[in-house]
Amino acid sequence: MTVRILPARQEVMQAARRYAFLGLALFALLAPAAHAVPVNFQPVADGVYAHIGEMGARTVANEGLNANLGLVVTPAGAVLIDSGATYRSAQQIAAAVRRITAQPVRWVINTGGQDHRWLGNGYFQAQGAEIIAHAAAEADMRDRGGDHLAALRAALGPLADGTVPVLPTRWLQGRDERLELGGVVFEFKHRGGAHTPGDVLVWLPQKNVLFSGDVVYVDRLLGVMPYSRTRPWLATFDEIERLAPAVIVPGHGQVTDLATAQAQTRDYLRALRAHMKQAVDEGLDMSTAIKTFHAQPWLGLLNAAELMPGNASRAYLELERE
Ligand SMILES: [Zn+2]
């Protein structure tokens, strides 16, 4: 018996080595073409999907796709929520959509004015999609689109090739707007901006799912930028509490619930504003105000150390103007 087993085992080993070599050769052959950012839509409700982007910086490896995306499949077509940062990453998003549904992307919604929300628009518009955003995003997109692209070119090199800032073709005007596609209702809530001036909530009442865009950050600290406004940001958050969604797809971080969003986004903004209001009222200088902010509850969030000082200074300046 042993005499027969031994050669068989040797053959298996030889075959394994041969296949391993073949596998390596195949991998080497495919590797350049296979270098593509992984976009992966996971179901969050019936016909509703989310791609959870990386939480770090824009890199060659993630092709600027460091934010979350949404997909809603209706019988009359698919709706993409945010189009990614580049033409090339938009192609990867489209390929990920095709793995979920054969429906064409009829609408693309841009939830805000930051690059990874809309610089992939050109690809989808060329495919026949209508691009939708809130009118409050227009000036911001026009102002910053070119700068975004320059920064992406610096970070991504040739991976940013083909990207052109393509503005939406349909601007939503009101505080509350409603659209319907294939029987699926999309409600839009704009309360004066948040992380960017055009930040809009996309609420699916039949699905009990909210795509918050950059109104909600979890797992990583939110960014208060020069174009952010914390007062309307909290007013927008009030609207989320009124809607009480079962599922929140945040702008950044894992799919979450209201309690987590309250703790990691609302409570931080409230504490920051309260602290800076008191500092401004008492005539405290900015650097003292920044140093005395009690940041402890949010220090565990990713990027907290880097973002805290800038957030605090911009909140101080905003409170000074109010
Ligand atoms: Zn963002």
Side-chain angles (χ1 to χ4, degrees):
M1 287 299 283
T2 39
V3 179
R4 283 179 63 201
I5 284 167
L6 268 172
R9 189 179 284 165
Q10 274 164 1
E11 271 167 40
V12 168
M13 290 302 286
Q14 270 171 8
R17 275 194 290 271
R18 258 201 311 274
Y19 284 118
F21 176 76
L22 259 177
L24 263 176
L26 202 64
F27 178 77
L29 205 68
L30 293 177
H35 175 80
V37 57
V39 180
N40 201 352
F41 286 106
Q42 298 289 332
V44 296
D46 183 32
V48 185
Y49 303 81
H51 162 74
I52 301 306
E54 288 184 11
M55 287 190 290
R58 292 155 183 78
T59 63
V60 167
N62 65 35
E63 297 193 32
L65 276 186
N66 60 343
N68 296 345
L69 308 168
L71 173 67
V72 183
V73 179
T74 88
V79 177
L80 178 67
I81 298 171
D82 295 323
S83 62
T86 63
Y87 186 90
R88 227 186 98 103
S89 61
Q91 288 178 308
Q92 305 306 322
I93 295 168
V97 171
R98 282 194 294 273
R99 290 197 293 272
I100 301 286
T101 177
Q103 291 281 2
V105 174
R106 289 273 311 277
W107 295 350
V108 172
I109 297 163
N110 301 147
T111 61
Q114 208 171 17
D115 54 0
H116 44 219
R117 307 274 165 221
W118 70 283
L119 286 186
N121 284 356
Y123 174 81
F124 290 100
Q125 193 181 46
Q127 307 293 309
E130 182 167 29
I131 317 287
I132 302 167
H134 195 273
E138 184 174 359
D140 183 40
M141 287 174 168
R142 287 186 188 278
D143 286 352
R144 294 193 299 131
D147 293 348
H148 282 320
L149 194 51
L152 282 166
R153 283 206 190 99
L156 307 182
L159 292 176
D161 286 357
T163 310
V164 177
V166 170
L167 290 173
T169 45
R170 181 171 185 173
W171 297 105
L172 305 170
Q173 301 291 334
R175 281 165 51 87
D176 298 279
E177 297 273 354
R178 183 182 186 279
L179 297 175
E180 197 176 319
L181 186 68
V184 179
V185 173
F186 295 77
E187 290 183 9
F188 301 86
K189 313 281 180 187
H190 182 263
R191 296 292 180 269
H195 178 66
T196 76
D199 283 4
V200 69
L201 304 174
V202 182
W203 168 233
L204 308 177
Q206 298 145 319
K207 314 283 186 182
N208 214 347
V209 174
L210 178 82
F211 288 92
S212 72
D214 284 336
V215 177
V216 175
Y217 287 58
V218 297
D219 306 325
R220 57 156 287 190
L221 191 73
L222 61 82
V224 180
M225 310 313 274
Y227 42 83
S228 306
R229 293 292 172 268
T230 58
R231 186 154 68 174
W233 195 330
L234 281 170
T236 316
F237 203 100
D238 288 345
E239 184 61 27
I240 297 178
E241 291 177 322
R242 202 186 62 78
L243 297 170
V247 176
I248 298 175
V249 180
H252 299 270
Q254 296 297 317
V255 173
T256 194
D257 56 18
L258 187 56
T260 308
Q262 285 168 329
Q264 298 186 11
T265 291
R266 182 199 65 181
D267 292 353
Y268 170 66
L269 284 171
R270 274 186 183 168
L272 195 57
R273 281 184 57 84
H275 179 80
M276 293 308 168
K277 177 166 176 30
Q278 193 181 356
V280 168
D281 287 350
E282 290 173 0
L284 214 62
D285 67 278
M286 192 200 282
S287 71
T288 310
I290 293 171
K291 279 189 216 118
T292 51
F293 176 64
H294 178 63
Q296 184 55 38
W298 302 282
L299 284 179
L301 296 173
L302 206 68
N303 307 330
E306 305 96 273
L307 290 175
M308 281 279 183
N311 286 356
S313 70
R314 287 185 278 268
Y316 180 95
L317 292 172
E318 187 182 344
L319 266 300
E320 217 175 25
R321 286 192 303 267
E322 279 177 10

